[in-house]
């Protein structure tokens, strides 16, 4: 036996522990659930499990990527080009009713999609201990899975808090015991929420910001679906920061004190594959993130920054997208409106259906019709009493064109 190989065999077992608390991601779990099942009928077969918009990439984006291709030979700046910073600051200012000059380069970090930022915020904003204890991350339940990754990466514990009617379906972090809030280093709010599509009210965001400042934790607003809404634009966390700074209930010297938001072009502009998003907010979190990313981040290539700047400046394609999503929800309402406690969400493009047993429904839809949906349980975690709030649900995403979607929705209504 070669010497190196025999030495390897004798070496101690590799024992990784940091991410062992995380279950497999929802998609491989779903694939495992469906393994060995063959659909009887595939006439309406469609994958409604992955939130990947199927509308066309805007033409101007493709044109800019082609025009700028010579700059692939350059290392891009971690903090973004001037044009990218200007476009994103202007969009945030418009969208959040902020005063000109309130958002500057010091408030912005370009990201290769918001997911990587939602994960790595844990490394920046969670210290090893909070008040001598293991730090805590507050997460909605169900929730976007990278929130759990952020906590695991930082060695923190996560407290999953189900949505409450009292707070419009958002997690009521203000109702948590004082000791819990004192241990909290980071809290996530998903607005509009994935999967339920609930919208956070202005009063709720104000209350959460006040709490974050009082207990010294970073409040994260995941606003990835902010531009896909039914009739009311969701209120942005930065909007509330600006309002509080102006009315004297906030911190005028640092309006975004203890707050950061994440957004991206994936849903707004049908550019999930471009990988382009940002974090914006408290300049102390931004500076530390830029420091981390100068050591280990993957800055956005220059052609992508140029195309992204244009996509943040252009609203017509977003207005068009919203109209297309409204039509899809009209279809969903037509076929599912009186079933499974269907509710038209305030935002996002997910339908969250109470089918009694999400895993069983997922298997039935696949076996009978070749339709893939996610069991709600895979998007949530059991609470202290072992109750998983996602178990009765399935999540469908309305991202396909109307004809495909209509046939599939009809099949779902007839199959379940
Ligand atoms: C709630 C939520 N936040 C963030 C993201 C991340 O999107 P991206 O990394 O494409 O910006 C997603 C993607 O599905 C999401 O559902």
């Amino acid at each position: 036996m070669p010497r190196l190989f025999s030495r390897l065999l004798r070496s101690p077992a590799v024992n990784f522990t940091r991410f062992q608390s995380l279950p497999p991601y929802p998609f491989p779990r779903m694939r495992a659930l469906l393994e060995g099942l063959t659909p009887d009928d595939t006439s309406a077969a469609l994958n409604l499990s992955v939130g990947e918009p199927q509308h066309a990439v805007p033409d101007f984006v493709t044109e800019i990527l082609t025009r700028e291709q010579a700059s692939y030979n350059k290392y891009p700046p971690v903090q973004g080009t001037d044009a990218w910073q200007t476009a994103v600051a202007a969009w945030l200012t418009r969208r959040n009713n902020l005063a000109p000059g309130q958002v500057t380069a010091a408030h912005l970090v370009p990201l290769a999609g918001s997911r990587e930022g939602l994960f790595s915020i844990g490394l920046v904003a969670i210290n090893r201990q909070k008040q001598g204890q293991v730090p805590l991350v507050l997460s909605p339940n169900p929730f976007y899975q990278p929130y759990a990754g952020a906590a695991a990466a930082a060695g923190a514990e996560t407290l999953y808090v189900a949505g409450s009617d009292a707070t419009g379906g958002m997690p009521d972090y203000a109702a948590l015991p004082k000791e819990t809030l004192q241990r909290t280093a980071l809290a996530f709010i998903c607005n509009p929420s994935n999967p339920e599509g609930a919208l956070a009210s202005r009063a709720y965001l104000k209350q959460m910001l006040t709490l974050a400042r009082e207990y010294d934790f970073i409040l994260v607003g995941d606003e990835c679906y902010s531009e896909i809404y039914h009739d009311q634009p969701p209120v942005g966390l930065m909007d509330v920061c600006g309002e509080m700074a102006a009315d004297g209930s906030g911190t005028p010297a640092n309006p975004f004190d203890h707050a950061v938001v994440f957004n991206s072009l994936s849903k707004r502009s049908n550019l999930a594959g471009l990988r382009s998003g940002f974090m914006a907010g408290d300049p102390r979190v931004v500076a530390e993130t830029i420091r981390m990313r100068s050591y280990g981040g993957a800055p956005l290539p220059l052609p992508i920054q140029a195309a992204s700047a244009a996509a943040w400046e252009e609203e017509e394609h977003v207005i068009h997208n919203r109209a297309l999503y409204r039509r899809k929800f009209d279809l969903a309402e037509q076929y599912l409106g009186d079933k499974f406690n269907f509710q038209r969400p305030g935002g996002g493009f997910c339908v969250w259906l109470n089918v009694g047993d999400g895993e069983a429904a997922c298997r039935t839809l696949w076996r009978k019709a070749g339709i893939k949906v996610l069991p709600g349980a895979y998007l949530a975690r059991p609470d202290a009493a072992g109750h998983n709030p996602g178990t009765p649900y399935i999540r469908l995403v309305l991202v396909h064109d109307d004809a495909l979607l209509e046939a599939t929705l009809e099949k779902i209504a007839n199959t379940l």
Side-chain angles (χ1 to χ4, degrees):
M1 198 182 310
R3 203 138 30 106
L4 176 65
F5 189 51
S6 63
R7 223 186 297 143
L8 274 178
L9 278 181
R10 276 184 278 112
S11 68
V14 173
N15 183 21
F16 299 124
T17 55
R18 184 153 301 163
F19 296 108
Q20 286 299 307
S21 63
L22 301 176
Y25 211 66
F27 301 110
R29 275 179 91 179
M30 180 192 67
R31 284 195 289 275
L33 178 76
L34 302 181
E35 209 171 86
L37 297 179
T38 316
D40 296 340
D41 166 16
T42 51
S43 58
L46 203 59
N47 186 351
L48 297 183
S49 70
V50 185
E52 181 185 77
Q54 300 295 306
H55 302 157
V57 169
D59 286 344
F60 66 85
V61 167
T62 324
E63 281 158 24
I64 295 172
L65 290 172
T66 308
R67 192 181 72 214
E68 299 294 322
Q69 58 187 305
S71 57
Y72 278 120
N73 69 352
K74 294 197 167 58
Y75 281 117
V78 175
Q79 71 281 11
T81 59
D82 288 352
W84 181 90
Q85 290 169 353
T86 304
V88 174
W91 182 79
L92 282 168
T93 303
R94 276 196 307 277
R95 181 62 173 83
N96 293 291
N97 307 303
L98 296 166
Q102 237 171 352
V103 184
T104 68
H107 299 100
L108 301 175
V109 182
L111 298 171
S114 56
R115 179 162 82 154
E116 56 130 345
L118 287 162
F119 171 81
S120 57
I121 182 75
L123 299 173
V124 171
I126 304 176
N127 291 331
R128 284 185 213 287
Q129 294 201 321
K130 175 105 189 267
Q131 302 203 338
Q133 300 181 77
V134 175
L136 203 57
V137 171
L138 305 182
S139 166
N141 201 24
F143 64 99
Y144 182 52
Q145 301 296 298
Y147 307 163
E157 287 170 10
T158 310
L159 181 68
Y160 298 101
V161 182
S164 151
D165 288 342
T167 42
M170 292 282 145
D172 190 1
Y173 298 144
L176 294 172
K178 203 171 163 191
E179 303 73 50
T180 302
L181 294 167
Q182 281 166 339
R183 260 182 73 198
T184 300
L186 195 66
F188 288 98
I189 294 173
C190 190
N191 177 34
S193 64
N194 172 5
E196 310 94 318
L199 303 189
S201 70
R202 208 168 262 283
Y204 172 79
L205 292 174
K206 200 166 177 175
Q207 187 187 31
M208 293 303 114
L209 256 175
T210 308
L211 210 63
R213 289 167 183 173
E214 182 181 348
Y215 287 96
D216 189 23
F217 61 81
I218 300 300
L219 184 64
V220 174
D222 176 359
E223 300 184 352
C224 176
Y225 291 95
S226 69
E227 305 316 288
I228 315 294
Y229 54 82
H230 178 43
D231 48 10
Q232 294 294 324
V235 178
L237 183 57
M238 289 180 96
D239 185 333
V240 173
C241 288
E243 184 180 296
M244 287 173 73
D247 73 13
S249 59
T251 39
N254 176 13
F256 312 115
D257 181 14
H258 282 85
V260 287
V261 302
F262 288 81
N263 213 322
S264 118
L265 295 173
S266 298
K267 321 290 179 186
R268 162 191 160 88
S269 303
N270 320 322
L271 290 169
L274 188 71
R275 310 311 299 135
S276 178
F278 65 78
M279 181 182 85
D282 193 323
R284 297 166 300 182
V285 185
V286 166
E288 194 66 3
T289 304
I290 295 286
R291 185 199 299 259
M292 176 184 74
R293 293 178 75 80
S294 352
Y295 278 81
L300 291 191
L302 288 169
I304 294 184
Q305 295 204 33
S308 303
W312 289 111
E313 278 162 357
E314 218 280 340
E315 287 298 327
E316 285 307 311
H317 73 290
V318 189
I319 293 168
H320 178 63
N321 260 342
R322 261 197 299 280
L324 295 179
Y325 284 115
R326 280 191 197 113
R327 277 230 306 271
K328 295 184 212 298
F329 275 104
D330 291 344
L331 286 174
E333 208 160 359
Q334 185 185 327
Y335 289 98
L336 300 168
D338 58 352
K339 293 184 166 62
F340 314 121
N341 196 24
F342 173 91
Q343 278 164 31
R344 192 169 180 136
F349 48 55
C350 303
V351 174
W352 187 234
L353 295 179
N354 186 334
V355 291
D357 178 344
E359 279 189 327
C362 172
R363 285 171 65 89
T364 302
L365 283 173
W366 176 247
R367 192 167 45 77
K368 295 201 171 154
I371 297 168
K372 274 191 186 161
V373 300
L374 257 190
Y378 299 176
L379 298 169
R381 295 284 190 277
D383 62 18
H387 168 72
N388 182 329
T391 299
Y393 290 86
I394 53 173
R395 188 191 76 174
L396 330 177
V397 294
L398 304 188
V399 293
H400 298 85
D401 76 49
D402 290 2
L404 276 176
L405 190 63
E406 180 162 13
T408 308
L409 289 167
E410 186 176 14
K411 199 63 142 221
I412 292 174
N414 294 336
T415 305
L416 286 183

